[in-house]
Amino acid sequence: MVLLNELGEIIQSNLECQQLFHVQPDHTNIDGYLTASAWNEAVRYFQVVSNSSHCEPFTKLVRLSRSKDIYVLKVNLVNTVPTNAFIAALTLYQQDDELNEALQARLPMGMVRVDPEGRFISVNPAYQTLLGYNDDDLLQLTEFDLTYHSDANSEKPLRENITLGAGNQYRVDKRYIHKNGHQIWVRTFVSSILCKYTNQQQFLIAVLDIHEEKQLQETIATSERRFRAIAENVSSVVWISSADPLRLFYVNKCYDTIWEEKVETLYSDPHAFLAKIHPAERKMAESTRFSSSTNSWNINYRLLFEDGRVKHIRDSGNCVFDGNGELLYRVGTLTDITAEIEQRDTVVVMAKKLRELVEYDSLTGIKSRHAIMTDIQEAYQEYDRVSELSVLVYIDADGFKNINDSYGHDVGDEVLKAIAGHLTSNIRDSDVAGRIGGDEFVVLLRHTAKAEIPHILERLKCDIECEGLPEGINVSISLGAIELSEKVVSAEQWLSEADKTMYQHKRARKKNRLSRKH
């Protein structure tokens, strides 16, 4: 088998063809092996029938230039954009059908013959090797049993159309299920034939392993035609130009979908794609794409549509050089990454909200217990390195339980908010306040000069004014402050000592109030 373009240039050939033609490395045109008139006849045939709904293969008996034997030439059209390619198969002509079966057995591609129900009539060794089944296995199965179920459902209407006389051949890419359970992508060519003995319809199926197409992908850097054969099957805009970026060779139809305009506009004006790029990013895109000194690129920009929609695009590409370092052409892709960007933004917002839930108390808005304990631990560890003075202040609301019991939790919550606001408004920017739980708070005074401490504590312990609370509610707090020193052996001890000091002050104040009453 051999893949050719309209000019008869050989794009790819299998081993059998290379041996048959005695292929010379410097001779890449079919007219060296087949008469030019025979190939031109095949091309003219497809120019006439290519627009018809049922395009049958071109078939002709030919004699090769380097052989006395007669061969059956069968040519199939492969539609590509903007040019066509052809798959040609050469089979030694034999009058005896049994000899043809023997030839099929030697073919490196899978060949099977099935009845209208898909039951196997004959199978060549290449097909069995591809799928791992032997003759006994296949007697229990149909060709559709070996086809991935969704692909089988899609193909059955094509098979039925042939049965009803709507054409006699079709091509389809589908997945087979190997005997070991894994899937194999294949390209199948299905032809309707009549059994010369029974005159009943049968189907001859030629099976190509998709591995050949993978090989085409791997050699894209050296074959523009192979590149075009696969580019229409990807979800990104794919383009190729000469060394001069203003000479476009090819752009796939995905451009119509992403840019929402006809791809033909680019062939007449390669700058046309810039019109929809956001004005703030248009110059960057233009200088990157059309720079003569850029060997590869990977940039992102936005498309802006008249209705206000925005699409995010990843524009990437490379220059391809020959063995002498000469620039051959440029290849690039334009991928719509809008969903990726939106998903990333959603994750960022969710992460921010989660961080706020973890770091900040939902009622008061100041730091949560977890976050303030982290700050206390960091201040303690830092003291071991720099020995700068820090003070931890433990704070408790006076009579908070009575307020909650007498006025309800809604009033109690307002009191807690007021305490939090009082603390944050009476500390420095370098200090931090947090809620430990209930009506207990802490303030961490970082790197504080000793002379500043009394003034800050004096401001903190002032009575708190709460607007909007019922009359008779006076909010006051008790506090205990502990300087960080070498006597403190852990952050937990530091917090515990501040807590004890606060309760000592609270009891002393309560005792003084009782003594004044008596």
Side-chain angles (χ1 to χ4, degrees):
M1 296 191 73
V2 59
L3 180 66
L4 310 115
N5 64 13
E6 288 185 348
L7 300 177
E9 295 173 336
I10 298 174
I11 299 172
Q12 187 177 21
S13 59
N14 64 5
L15 180 61
E16 256 65 22
C17 182
Q18 294 169 11
Q19 294 174 345
L20 175 64
F21 284 168
H22 305 291
V23 172
Q24 302 297 317
D26 58 346
H27 199 123
T28 59
N29 197 288
I30 192 67
D31 62 9
Y33 314 104
L34 181 70
T35 62
S37 61
W39 178 249
N40 291 335
E41 184 180 349
V43 174
R44 286 195 300 272
Y45 167 81
F46 285 108
Q47 289 173 347
V48 173
V49 304
S50 61
N51 293 327
S52 64
S53 58
H54 306 295
C55 182
E56 298 181 3
F58 173 82
T59 306
K60 182 180 178 65
L61 296 180
V62 298
R63 191 183 300 276
L64 301 182
S65 302
R66 294 179 172 84
S67 173
K68 295 180 180 180
D69 294 323
I70 298 175
Y71 285 80
V72 179
L73 170 67
K74 182 169 287 189
V75 183
N76 284 282
L77 173 65
V78 180
N79 290 317
T80 59
V81 178
T83 60
N84 293 325
F86 305 86
I87 294 179
L90 287 157
T91 307
L92 185 64
Y93 178 71
Q94 298 286 350
Q95 295 292 337
D96 191 337
D97 188 62
E98 291 182 358
L99 289 179
N100 283 329
E101 292 287 351
L103 287 172
Q104 290 182 23
R106 297 201 303 269
L107 285 175
M109 63 186 298
M111 295 290 295
V112 299
R113 186 180 296 194
V114 300
D115 66 14
E117 285 72 41
R119 292 187 292 266
F120 292 98
I121 298 172
S122 65
V123 180
N124 75 344
Y127 187 86
Q128 294 177 323
T129 301
L130 177 65
L131 294 178
Y133 291 94
N134 58 36
D135 288 331
D136 293 337
D137 295 329
L138 294 175
L139 288 175
Q140 311 301 320
L141 301 167
T142 69
E143 196 259 342
F144 282 127
D145 290 332
L146 302 181
T147 302
Y148 188 70
H149 63 89
S150 63
D151 295 343
N153 292 336
S154 300
E155 186 184 2
K156 284 178 181 177
L158 301 176
R159 193 76 59 88
E160 291 172 0
N161 285 341
I162 292 183
T163 303
L164 297 174
N168 64 358
Q169 186 183 53
Y170 67 85
R171 186 195 81 175
V172 67
D173 291 353
K174 63 180 183 178
R175 288 161 288 183
Y176 273 143
I177 306 299
H178 191 275
K179 185 176 182 179
N180 292 337
H182 62 272
Q183 298 177 14
I184 303 172
W185 273 101
V186 296
R187 176 164 294 143
T188 60
F189 298 86
V190 181
S191 301
S192 175
I193 59 176
L194 290 177
C195 176
K196 71 177 183 178
Y197 303 110
T198 65
N199 204 35
Q200 292 179 338
Q201 187 180 42
Q202 297 175 354
F203 297 99
L204 184 64
I205 305 174
V207 181
L208 291 176
D209 192 332
I210 204 69
H211 178 70
E212 292 192 16
E213 188 165 318
K214 296 297 183 181
Q215 288 179 321
L216 288 178
Q217 295 177 17
E218 293 172 358
T219 57
I220 187 173
T222 57
S223 174
E224 176 189 347
R225 288 177 292 274
R226 299 176 200 176
F227 172 81
R228 292 178 178 179
I230 63 171
E232 293 299 331
N233 297 317
V234 300
S235 58
S236 299
V237 177
V238 181
W239 61 268
I240 183 170
S241 76
S242 69
D244 178 2
L246 292 176
R247 290 185 57 209
L248 272 177
F249 289 151
Y250 170 76
V251 184
N252 69 350
K253 286 292 184 181
C254 191
Y255 181 84
D256 297 14
T257 302
I258 295 180
W259 253 257
E260 300 181 19
E261 61 186 27
K262 294 296 183 182
V263 68
E264 287 74 17
T265 60
L266 286 180
Y267 290 107
S268 57
D269 179 14
H271 286 91
F273 80 100
L274 296 168
K276 284 186 177 174
I277 296 179
H278 195 288
E281 297 158 353
R282 191 175 298 155
K283 186 175 181 180
M284 172 196 66
E286 182 177 18
S287 61
T288 300
R289 172 71 68 82
F290 298 104
S291 171
S292 59
S293 61
T294 303
N295 292 339
S296 64
W297 64 94
N298 191 342
I299 60 174
N300 294 350
Y301 49 72
R302 293 165 291 170
L303 300 185
L304 188 60
F305 294 86
E306 292 182 356
D307 59 5
R309 289 180 297 116
V310 173
K311 289 183 181 179
H312 294 267
I313 303 298
R314 177 176 294 122
D315 186 333
S316 58
N318 290 279
C319 294
V320 180
F321 301 87
D322 63 15
N324 298 320
E326 188 74 20
L327 179 59
L328 297 177
Y329 48 85
R330 299 167 184 262
V331 178
T333 60
L334 306 167
T335 305
D336 185 350
I337 57 170
T338 304
E340 177 184 329
I341 295 296
E342 290 176 348
Q343 184 179 26
R344 182 197 66 188
D345 292 344
T346 299
V347 170
V348 170
V349 170
M350 291 177 64
K352 182 180 178 181
K353 290 182 177 178
L354 181 60
R355 185 170 61 251
E356 290 174 351
L357 288 173
V358 172
E359 292 187 358
Y360 295 96
D361 180 62
S362 59
L363 175 63
T364 63
I366 62 175
K367 286 210 170 184
S368 66
R369 178 185 179 90
H370 170 79
I372 194 65
M373 288 302 300
T374 300
D375 289 336
I376 294 171
Q377 184 68 40
E378 289 176 353
Y380 173 77
Q381 294 173 348
E382 189 178 55
Y383 178 76
D384 288 341
R385 297 191 302 271
V386 299
S387 298
E388 291 188 3
L389 180 62
S390 292
V391 176
L392 186 61
V393 185
Y394 205 105
I395 298 150
D396 183 79
D398 295 333
F400 181 73
K401 184 177 183 305
N402 291 333
I403 294 174
N404 253 350
D405 293 344
S406 301
Y407 298 98
H409 289 286
D410 289 343
V411 173
D413 288 347
E414 293 301 319
V415 169
L416 296 176
K417 293 178 185 178
I419 294 173
H422 169 75
L423 299 179
T424 55
S425 62
N426 285 286
I427 57 178
R428 304 164 304 172
D429 292 341
S430 60
D431 303 329
V432 61
R435 183 183 176 196
I436 293 295
D439 60 336
E440 297 180 339
F441 300 79
V442 293
V443 169
L444 176 61
L445 307 177
R446 295 192 181 106
H447 313 313
T448 310
K450 209 169 187 66
E452 288 185 277
I453 297 174
H455 301 291
I456 298 175
L457 297 180
E458 189 65 30
R459 293 197 303 269
L460 290 176
K461 68 182 181 180
C462 291
D463 287 348
I464 301 169
E465 296 182 1
C466 302
E467 295 183 3
L469 293 180
E471 293 184 8
I473 295 181
N474 295 317
V475 181
S476 62
I477 58 175
S478 298
L479 55 84
I482 295 294
E483 296 179 9
L484 185 56
S485 67
E486 294 180 355
K487 295 179 180 180
V488 178
V489 298
S490 68
E492 290 76 13
Q493 182 198 357
W494 191 14
L495 181 68
S496 177
E497 293 296 332
D499 184 19
K500 291 177 183 177
T501 303
M502 181 275 296
Y503 274 106
Q504 289 173 2
H505 292 167
K506 181 186 283 285
R507 286 194 293 269
R509 290 178 61 191
K510 185 175 181 181
K511 185 176 180 180
N512 289 337
R513 285 196 300 269
L514 291 174
S515 63
R516 284 198 297 270
K517 287 182 180 181
H518 297 292

